[in-house]
Amino acid sequence: MAVEAAEASTASLALSETDINWDRLDKTKFHVIGAVLFTAQAALLHPTYVVKTRLQVLESRSTSSRSGLSTFKHILRNDGLGGVYRGFGTSAVGALPGRILYLTSLEVSKDVMLKYTKGLDMPEATHIGVANGVAGMVSNLVSCAFFVPFDVICQRLMVQGLPGTTVCVGPIDVIRKVISVEGFRGLYRGFGLTAVSQTPASAFWWGSYGAAQNIIWRSLGYGNDVDTKPSQTEIVTVQATAGMLAGACSSIFTTPIDTIKTRLQVMDNYGTGRPSVMKTTKKLLEEDGWKGLYRGFGPRFLSMSVSGTSMIVIYELIKRLSVRRD
């Protein structure tokens, strides 16, 4: 059984409450509570996504003296509070089915990996890291089919009014104009780049999180004494720390590709022909050199560090609240 495999991986640490597996969850409660809490988290972090996206899309002469904070102030001054929440309504509603798809595939694939790697001769932290990493990779590949069009729509709403972008009024107008110019495939601009970049990043994030959490528990002295259970405060603190480390490291490796992907999805002024990864990268390097690949790094680093911490705390809380009591 997948549950038995997962419990075996944590039994020696006496941490069964830190690795609550899919078979132990009330699925309806899991997705309902998750929808509420993750939407609240998204509301808090959405302004950083807007700032990051605008910095990545602006031309070099506009970003040379502009930081994330000054961009945030500029948006507030010109567009008010609504400016830093452009695209949030679409994001909040549209993300629900994608999140269900992502979390379900994540938990199911993690259970399967824990089951089939149980007998392999490897350190416990490596075992857990590999299972979490493969689960992160699979769930990202599955959810890309939904999230790429969704990402294209939201990001185009975020950058309204910037040079090189098409004026759109609402998500339906975005869809209509993209399809009228490029057909349905226009909604999948950056799909290959997203899959290639985010799949390893997702694997890295979840693998790092699983391994880091295991190592931290070991360092705190939770060994083979099954009678010793960590407190809820300890559980939250360790999981938050592991999530923060995983998010911060991931942002360093993924920002260059994220910058290229963002510009590819929203910019339309590349001359003749359909925008491509090569055209986008070439123009970015011409504008700002190699440092241009790290445009928006500050907001992205902050966002991924904070979101990594808050996301994993919320995620693990949802799982604890959704455990079946029968």
Side-chain angles (χ1 to χ4, degrees):
M1 294 290 292
V3 174
E4 293 171 350
E7 289 177 344
S9 71
T10 56
S12 62
L13 294 178
L15 300 175
S16 61
E17 291 306 305
T18 72
D19 192 13
I20 300 169
N21 296 91
W22 186 244
D23 289 350
R24 296 173 58 191
L25 297 175
D26 179 322
K27 310 305 186 293
T28 300
K29 186 184 293 185
F30 175 70
H31 289 305
V32 170
I33 296 174
V36 174
L37 294 183
F38 277 126
T39 299
Q41 180 208 27
L44 293 175
L45 293 174
H46 191 78
T48 66
Y49 296 141
V50 174
V51 172
K52 182 268 300 182
T53 301
R54 284 188 164 238
L55 282 172
Q56 290 175 332
V57 172
L58 284 170
E59 294 184 357
S60 179
R61 62 177 179 272
S62 302
T63 59
S64 58
S65 61
R66 183 173 292 182
S67 64
L69 181 59
S70 64
T71 300
F72 178 74
K73 291 179 178 178
H74 177 80
I75 295 172
L76 284 179
R77 184 169 56 252
N78 288 274
D79 301 321
L81 187 61
V84 294
Y85 276 94
R86 278 186 177 173
F88 177 69
T90 303
S91 175
V93 175
L96 293 177
R99 190 173 293 124
I100 291 173
L101 185 65
Y102 182 88
L103 295 180
T104 300
S105 57
L106 175 72
E107 288 297 325
V108 171
S109 56
K110 183 172 71 172
D111 271 11
V112 171
M113 281 302 299
L114 285 169
K115 174 183 177 181
Y116 287 104
T117 59
K118 181 181 178 182
L120 297 181
D121 183 19
M122 63 176 68
E124 186 175 52
T126 303
H127 178 213
I128 295 174
V130 168
N132 278 269
V134 172
M137 178 182 67
V138 171
S139 60
N140 187 78
L141 284 172
V142 170
S143 61
C144 265
F146 173 85
F147 275 118
V148 170
F150 170 71
D151 209 23
V152 169
I153 295 167
C154 289
Q155 289 183 336
R156 281 178 172 258
L157 291 173
M158 290 178 190
V159 299
Q160 287 299 290
L162 297 185
T165 62
T166 302
V167 177
C168 299
V169 183
I172 302 301
D173 193 36
V174 172
I175 296 172
R176 183 180 60 80
K177 288 183 177 178
V178 169
I179 292 178
S180 68
V181 174
E182 300 182 58
F184 188 73
R185 72 173 186 166
L187 293 173
Y188 278 87
R189 264 200 205 179
F191 178 83
L193 194 60
T194 300
V196 168
S197 64
Q198 291 190 4
T199 297
S202 181
F204 178 81
W205 196 100
W206 282 104
S208 298
Y209 169 71
Q213 186 181 186
N214 182 278
I215 292 169
I216 293 172
W217 285 124
R218 285 290 190 182
S219 69
L220 292 176
Y222 288 96
N224 297 321
D225 182 5
V226 296
D227 294 326
T228 302
K229 303 288 185 180
S231 67
Q232 289 299 309
T233 300
E234 286 179 302
I235 291 174
V236 171
T237 301
V238 169
Q239 291 174 340
T241 301
M244 179 182 65
L245 291 173
C249 292
S250 183
S251 70
I252 295 173
F253 292 108
T254 60
T255 294
I257 297 180
D258 182 70
T259 300
I260 296 170
K261 175 187 72 71
T262 299
R263 289 173 68 92
L264 176 65
Q265 290 178 331
V266 304
M267 298 294 284
D268 294 316
N269 62 341
Y270 286 96
T272 60
R274 187 171 185 264
S276 67
V277 173
M278 291 303 297
K279 287 181 182 178
T280 304
T281 305
K282 181 180 178 181
K283 185 173 177 61
L284 182 61
L285 292 176
E286 288 174 351
E287 289 178 2
D288 219 9
W290 289 102
K291 69 177 181 179
L293 296 174
Y294 276 88
R295 283 188 187 176
F297 174 71
R300 181 171 168 79
F301 182 88
L302 175 63
S303 174
M304 291 191 70
S305 299
V306 173
S307 66
T309 304
S310 59
M311 186 275 288
I312 206 63
V313 169
I314 292 172
Y315 181 61
E316 298 289 1
L317 173 61
I318 293 167
K319 290 172 71 175
R320 287 195 290 275
L321 292 175
S322 304
V323 173
R324 293 200 308 266
R325 302 303 176 185
D326 46 36

